[in-house]
Amino acid sequence: MAGSLTGKRYILAVDDSPVMQKLIQDALHDDYCVLVTGNPVDVLTLIYSKPVSVVLLDVMMPDIDGLELCRTLRTIPQFQSLPVVMITSKDTPFDKVQGRMAGANAYITKPFAPDHLRQVVQQLLAPETTSS
């Protein structure tokens, strides 16, 4: 079943660990069509070919790290407002500030609870309407 046929939104998870890819898929597959890649170079191809709603990025990856990839996404006009969540084992306050400065909307440290990941994604995809 393709995500577009089921009406599910696409989530792109970028992590070089197959174990993390599976954990993310397991946490989100009921509500979203989860695309995974271990190669940050594939990200632009994927987000241009699918209507990705949220990108989940590991910080520490070979070749291009998640911070650099996030900064790159923020320079492309159509992806400047695309929600990006850093999912990483780097959890110092400095690491979190670096993630925000790179353009991340949220920062989740590993190991994470599947419910927490679902909650963060749902909040990022919630309609912008708020009542006072």
Side-chain angles (χ1 to χ4, degrees):
M1 272 194 254
S4 59
L5 296 177
T6 63
K8 290 183 180 180
R9 294 171 115 170
Y10 285 97
I11 307 296
L12 173 59
V14 187
D15 198 304
D16 58 332
S17 163
V19 171
M20 283 308 303
Q21 290 177 4
K22 174 115 176 68
L23 288 172
I24 292 168
Q25 280 182 311
D26 289 349
L28 299 174
H29 81 277
D30 285 344
D31 300 312
Y32 306 100
C33 182
V34 183
L35 307 170
V36 295
T37 183
N39 185 352
V41 177
D42 293 339
V43 170
L44 291 179
T45 302
L46 286 166
I47 63 175
Y48 276 111
S49 67
K50 300 284 185 193
V52 172
S53 297
V54 175
V55 176
L56 308 175
L57 286 177
D58 183 16
V59 172
M60 296 186 297
M61 294 183 289
D63 301 323
I64 301 172
D65 73 22
L67 297 171
E68 184 179 343
L69 184 54
C70 187
R71 285 190 289 268
T72 299
L73 288 174
R74 294 303 181 225
T75 66
I76 303 169
Q78 64 264 44
F79 302 124
Q80 286 177 348
S81 62
L82 178 65
V84 174
V85 179
M86 297 304 221
I87 300 182
T88 180
S89 57
K90 299 180 74 155
D91 67 350
T92 69
F94 179 72
D95 293 321
K96 293 174 184 175
V97 167
Q98 279 191 307
R100 293 288 186 178
M101 289 178 63
N105 301 84
Y107 198 99
I108 297 175
T109 54
K110 298 174 185 174
F112 60 86
D115 287 342
H116 179 62
L117 177 60
R118 280 191 293 275
Q119 180 183 30
V120 169
V121 169
Q122 287 168 352
Q123 286 173 344
L124 288 170
L125 294 175
E128 295 288 326
T129 56
T130 57
S131 55
S132 301

Coordinates of all heavy atoms in Angstrom, one line a residue, residues 37-85:
T37 N 16.0 5.9 5.0 CA 17.3 5.9 4.3 C 18.4 6.0 5.3 O 18.3 6.7 6.3 CB 17.4 6.9 3.2 OG1 18.6 6.8 2.5 CG2 17.4 8.3 3.7
G38 N 19.5 5.3 5.0 CA 20.7 5.4 5.8 C 21.7 6.3 5.1 O 22.8 6.6 5.7
N39 N 21.4 6.9 3.9 CA 22.3 7.7 3.2 C 21.7 9.1 3.1 O 20.8 9.4 2.4 CB 22.4 7.1 1.8 CG 23.5 7.8 1.0 OD1 24.0 8.9 1.3 ND2 23.8 7.3 -0.2
P40 N 22.4 10.1 3.8 CA 21.9 11.5 3.7 C 21.8 12.1 2.3 O 21.0 12.9 2.0 CB 22.9 12.2 4.6 CG 23.7 11.2 5.3 CD 23.5 9.9 4.6
V41 N 22.7 11.5 1.4 CA 22.7 12.0 0.1 C 21.4 11.8 -0.7 O 21.0 12.5 -1.6 CB 23.9 11.4 -0.7 CG1 23.9 11.9 -2.2 CG2 25.2 11.8 0.0
D42 N 20.6 10.7 -0.2 CA 19.3 10.3 -0.9 C 18.2 11.3 -0.4 O 17.1 11.2 -1.0 CB 18.9 8.9 -0.5 CG 19.9 7.9 -1.1 OD1 20.6 8.2 -2.1 OD2 19.9 6.8 -0.5
V43 N 18.4 12.1 0.6 CA 17.3 12.8 1.1 C 16.7 13.8 0.1 O 15.4 13.8 0.0 CB 17.7 13.6 2.4 CG1 16.7 14.6 2.8 CG2 18.0 12.6 3.5
L44 N 17.4 14.5 -0.6 CA 16.9 15.5 -1.5 C 16.1 14.8 -2.6 O 15.0 15.2 -3.0 CB 18.0 16.4 -2.1 CG 18.6 17.4 -1.2 CD1 19.7 18.2 -1.9 CD2 17.5 18.3 -0.5
T45 N 16.6 13.7 -3.1 CA 15.9 12.9 -4.1 C 14.5 12.5 -3.6 O 13.5 12.6 -4.2 CB 16.7 11.6 -4.5 OG1 17.9 12.1 -5.0 CG2 15.9 10.9 -5.6
L46 N 14.5 12.0 -2.3 CA 13.3 11.5 -1.7 C 12.3 12.6 -1.5 O 11.1 12.4 -1.7 CB 13.6 10.7 -0.4 CG 14.2 9.3 -0.6 CD1 14.7 8.8 0.7 CD2 13.1 8.4 -1.1
I47 N 12.7 13.7 -0.9 CA 11.7 14.8 -0.6 C 11.2 15.5 -1.9 O 10.2 16.2 -1.8 CB 12.2 15.8 0.5 CG1 13.5 16.5 0.0 CG2 12.5 15.1 1.8 CD1 13.9 17.6 1.0
Y48 N 12.0 15.4 -3.0 CA 11.5 16.0 -4.2 C 10.5 15.0 -4.9 O 9.6 15.4 -5.7 CB 12.6 16.3 -5.2 CG 13.2 17.7 -5.0 CD1 14.5 17.8 -4.5 CD2 12.5 18.8 -5.2 CE1 15.1 19.0 -4.3 CE2 13.1 20.1 -5.0 CZ 14.4 20.1 -4.5 OH 15.0 21.4 -4.3
S49 N 10.6 13.7 -4.6 CA 9.8 12.7 -5.3 C 8.5 12.3 -4.5 O 7.6 11.8 -5.0 CB 10.6 11.5 -5.6 OG 11.0 10.8 -4.4
K50 N 8.5 12.6 -3.2 CA 7.3 12.2 -2.3 C 7.0 13.5 -1.5 O 7.8 14.3 -1.1 CB 7.7 11.1 -1.3 CG 8.1 9.8 -2.0 CD 7.0 9.1 -2.5 CE 7.5 7.7 -3.1 NZ 6.4 7.1 -3.9
P51 N 5.7 13.6 -1.2 CA 5.2 14.7 -0.4 C 5.5 14.5 1.1 O 4.6 14.2 1.9 CB 3.7 14.8 -0.7 CG 3.4 13.4 -1.0 CD 4.6 12.8 -1.7
V52 N 6.8 14.6 1.5 CA 7.2 14.4 2.8 C 6.7 15.5 3.8 O 6.8 16.7 3.5 CB 8.8 14.3 2.9 CG1 9.2 14.2 4.4 CG2 9.2 13.1 2.1
S53 N 6.1 15.1 4.9 CA 5.5 16.0 5.9 C 6.5 16.3 7.0 O 6.4 17.4 7.6 CB 4.2 15.5 6.4 OG 3.3 15.3 5.4
V54 N 7.3 15.4 7.4 CA 8.3 15.6 8.5 C 9.5 14.8 8.1 O 9.5 13.7 7.6 CB 7.7 15.0 9.8 CG1 8.8 15.1 10.9 CG2 6.5 15.8 10.2
V55 N 10.7 15.4 8.5 CA 12.0 14.7 8.3 C 12.6 14.4 9.7 O 12.6 15.3 10.5 CB 13.0 15.5 7.4 CG1 14.3 14.8 7.4 CG2 12.4 15.7 6.0
L56 N 13.0 13.2 9.9 CA 13.6 12.8 11.2 C 15.1 12.5 10.8 O 15.4 11.7 10.0 CB 13.0 11.5 11.7 CG 11.5 11.5 11.9 CD1 11.0 10.1 12.3 CD2 11.0 12.5 12.8
L57 N 16.0 13.3 11.5 CA 17.4 13.2 11.2 C 18.3 12.8 12.3 O 18.2 13.3 13.4 CB 17.9 14.6 10.8 CG 17.5 15.2 9.4 CD1 18.1 16.6 9.3 CD2 18.0 14.3 8.3
D58 N 19.1 11.8 12.1 CA 20.2 11.5 13.0 C 21.3 12.5 12.9 O 21.5 13.1 11.8 CB 20.7 10.1 12.7 CG 21.8 9.6 13.7 OD1 21.9 10.2 14.8 OD2 22.5 8.7 13.4
V59 N 21.9 12.9 13.9 CA 23.0 13.9 13.8 C 24.3 13.3 13.3 O 24.9 13.8 12.4 CB 23.2 14.6 15.2 CG1 24.5 15.5 15.1 CG2 22.0 15.5 15.6
M60 N 24.7 12.2 13.9 CA 25.9 11.6 13.5 C 25.8 10.5 12.4 O 25.3 9.4 12.7 CB 26.6 11.0 14.7 CG 27.0 12.0 15.8 SD 27.9 11.4 17.2 CE 26.7 10.2 17.9
M61 N 26.1 10.9 11.2 CA 26.1 10.0 10.0 C 27.4 10.2 9.2 O 28.0 11.3 9.3 CB 24.9 10.3 9.2 CG 23.5 10.0 9.9 SD 22.1 10.3 8.8 CE 22.1 12.0 8.7
P62 N 27.7 9.2 8.4 CA 28.9 9.4 7.6 C 28.6 10.4 6.5 O 27.5 10.6 6.1 CB 29.1 8.0 7.0 CG 27.8 7.3 7.2 CD 27.1 7.9 8.3
D63 N 29.7 11.0 6.0 CA 29.6 12.0 4.9 C 29.0 13.3 5.3 O 29.7 14.3 5.4 CB 28.9 11.4 3.6 CG 29.6 10.1 3.1 OD1 30.9 10.1 3.2 OD2 28.9 9.2 2.7
I64 N 27.7 13.3 5.4 CA 27.0 14.5 5.8 C 26.3 14.3 7.1 O 25.5 13.4 7.3 CB 25.9 14.9 4.7 CG1 26.5 15.0 3.4 CG2 25.1 16.1 5.1 CD1 25.5 15.2 2.2
D65 N 26.6 15.1 8.1 CA 25.9 14.9 9.4 C 24.5 15.6 9.4 O 24.2 16.4 8.4 CB 26.7 15.4 10.6 CG 26.8 16.9 10.7 OD1 26.0 17.7 10.2 OD2 27.8 17.3 11.4
G66 N 23.6 15.2 10.3 CA 22.3 15.7 10.3 C 22.2 17.2 10.4 O 21.3 17.8 9.9
L67 N 23.1 17.9 11.2 CA 23.0 19.3 11.3 C 23.3 20.0 10.0 O 22.6 20.9 9.6 CB 24.1 19.8 12.3 CG 23.9 19.3 13.8 CD1 25.1 19.6 14.6 CD2 22.6 19.9 14.3
E68 N 24.3 19.5 9.2 CA 24.6 20.0 7.9 C 23.4 19.8 7.0 O 23.0 20.7 6.2 CB 25.9 19.4 7.4 CG 26.3 19.9 6.1 CD 27.6 19.3 5.5 OE1 28.3 18.6 6.3 OE2 27.9 19.4 4.3
L69 N 22.8 18.6 7.0 CA 21.7 18.3 6.2 C 20.5 19.2 6.5 O 19.8 19.8 5.6 CB 21.3 16.9 6.3 CG 20.2 16.4 5.4 CD1 20.5 16.7 3.9 CD2 20.0 14.9 5.6
C70 N 20.2 19.5 7.8 CA 19.2 20.4 8.2 C 19.4 21.8 7.7 O 18.5 22.4 7.1 CB 19.0 20.4 9.7 SG 17.6 21.3 10.3
R71 N 20.6 22.3 7.8 CA 21.0 23.6 7.3 C 20.8 23.7 5.8 O 20.3 24.7 5.3 CB 22.4 24.0 7.7 CG 22.6 24.4 9.1 CD 24.0 24.9 9.4 NE 25.0 23.9 9.3 CZ 25.5 23.2 10.3 NH1 25.0 23.4 11.6 NH2 26.4 22.3 10.2
T72 N 21.1 22.6 5.1 CA 20.9 22.6 3.6 C 19.4 22.7 3.3 O 19.0 23.4 2.4 CB 21.5 21.3 3.0 OG1 22.9 21.3 3.3 CG2 21.3 21.2 1.5
L73 N 18.6 21.9 4.0 CA 17.2 21.9 3.7 C 16.6 23.3 3.9 O 15.7 23.8 3.2 CB 16.4 21.0 4.6 CG 16.6 19.5 4.3 CD1 15.9 18.6 5.4 CD2 16.0 19.1 3.0
R74 N 17.1 24.0 5.0 CA 16.6 25.4 5.3 C 17.0 26.4 4.2 O 16.4 27.5 4.2 CB 17.1 25.8 6.6 CG 16.5 25.0 7.8 CD 15.0 25.0 7.8 NE 14.4 24.3 8.9 CZ 13.4 23.4 8.7 NH1 12.9 23.2 7.6 NH2 12.9 22.8 9.7
T75 N 18.0 26.1 3.3 CA 18.3 27.0 2.3 C 17.5 26.9 1.0 O 17.6 27.7 0.1 CB 19.8 26.9 1.9 OG1 20.0 25.6 1.3 CG2 20.7 27.1 3.1
I76 N 16.7 25.8 1.0 CA 15.9 25.5 -0.2 C 14.5 26.1 0.1 O 13.8 25.6 1.0 CB 15.8 24.0 -0.5 CG1 17.2 23.5 -0.7 CG2 14.9 23.7 -1.7 CD1 17.3 22.0 -0.8
P77 N 14.0 27.1 -0.7 CA 12.7 27.7 -0.4 C 11.6 26.8 -0.1 O 10.9 27.0 0.9 CB 12.5 28.6 -1.6 CG 13.8 28.9 -2.1 CD 14.6 27.6 -1.9
Q78 N 11.3 25.8 -0.8 CA 10.1 24.9 -0.6 C 10.3 24.0 0.6 O 9.3 23.4 1.1 CB 9.7 24.1 -1.8 CG 10.7 23.1 -2.3 CD 11.6 23.7 -3.4 OE1 12.1 24.8 -3.4 NE2 11.9 22.8 -4.4
F79 N 11.5 24.0 1.2 CA 11.6 23.1 2.4 C 12.0 23.9 3.6 O 12.3 23.4 4.7 CB 12.7 22.1 2.2 CG 12.4 21.2 1.0 CD1 13.3 21.1 -0.1 CD2 11.2 20.5 0.9 CE1 13.0 20.3 -1.2 CE2 10.9 19.7 -0.2 CZ 11.8 19.6 -1.3
Q80 N 11.9 25.2 3.6 CA 12.3 26.1 4.7 C 11.3 25.8 5.9 O 11.7 26.0 7.1 CB 12.3 27.5 4.3 CG 13.5 27.9 3.5 CD 13.5 29.3 3.1 OE1 12.5 30.0 3.1 NE2 14.7 29.8 2.6
S81 N 10.1 25.5 5.6 CA 9.1 25.3 6.7 C 8.8 23.8 7.0 O 8.0 23.5 7.8 CB 7.8 26.1 6.5 OG 7.2 25.6 5.3
L82 N 9.5 22.9 6.3 CA 9.3 21.5 6.5 C 9.8 21.1 7.9 O 10.9 21.4 8.2 CB 10.1 20.7 5.4 CG 10.1 19.2 5.5 CD1 8.7 18.6 5.2 CD2 11.1 18.6 4.5
P83 N 8.9 20.5 8.7 CA 9.3 20.2 10.1 C 10.5 19.1 10.1 O 10.5 18.2 9.3 CB 8.1 19.6 10.7 CG 7.0 20.1 9.9 CD 7.5 20.2 8.5
V84 N 11.5 19.4 10.9 CA 12.7 18.6 11.0 C 12.8 18.2 12.5 O 12.8 19.2 13.3 CB 14.0 19.2 10.5 CG1 15.2 18.4 10.7 CG2 13.8 19.5 9.0
V85 N 13.0 17.0 12.8 CA 13.2 16.5 14.1 C 14.6 15.8 14.2 O 14.8 14.9 13.4 CB 12.2 15.5 14.6 CG1 12.4 15.0 16.0 CG2 10.8 16.1 14.5

